[in-house]
Amino acid sequence: MRNWDPLGALAAARGQLMPCVPICMSFGIGLWFSLKSEPGLAIYGATAGLMLIMILLWRIGPETLRAPGAAIALLLFGFLLMGARGHSVAAPVLEFRYYGAV
């Protein structure tokens, strides 16, 4: 009986993983929505740095780690994309109760 190698199976399916791109990004978006509060700038910076490391692993890493590196990079990209979208549509919030025309 052969041992199943999941990283080798991912490397073998390298040309057929394009449909997984939105799935990986949606996991990152879901991760952002699962947080109790909005992350700070340090978290976004660390996430961007880790995403760059995963992109390097995807581009110049060993063959068996390229697909997982790309998947993690896409997950982190989804997280950063949702953070950017959240900041772009943010509106001011009133700090007191206001009655009347706005």
Side-chain angles (χ1 to χ4, degrees):
M1 183 163 169
R2 291 180 51 194
N3 290 336
W4 185 64
D5 180 23
L7 294 178
L10 277 174
R14 181 176 72 185
Q16 302 166 356
L17 295 175
M18 188 64 174
C20 296
V21 169
I23 295 169
C24 292
M25 288 179 62
S26 67
F27 281 134
I29 292 169
L31 178 67
W32 191 87
F33 275 113
S34 70
L35 298 174
K36 300 284 184 203
S37 64
E38 191 170 346
L41 189 59
I43 299 295
Y44 288 128
T47 304
L50 186 59
M51 185 181 77
L52 291 175
I53 291 171
M54 290 297 120
I55 289 172
L56 284 175
L57 181 67
W58 168 54
R59 296 301 296 165
I60 62 174
E63 186 69 30
T64 57
L65 294 180
R66 287 188 179 178
I72 294 171
L74 287 168
L75 184 141
L76 296 172
F77 179 69
F79 182 85
L80 290 173
L81 190 67
M82 192 59 234
R85 178 67 179 161
H87 283 288
S88 72
V89 298
V93 178
L94 293 176
E95 297 179 6
F96 55 90
R97 199 172 276 229
Y98 178 75
Y99 297 101
V102 178

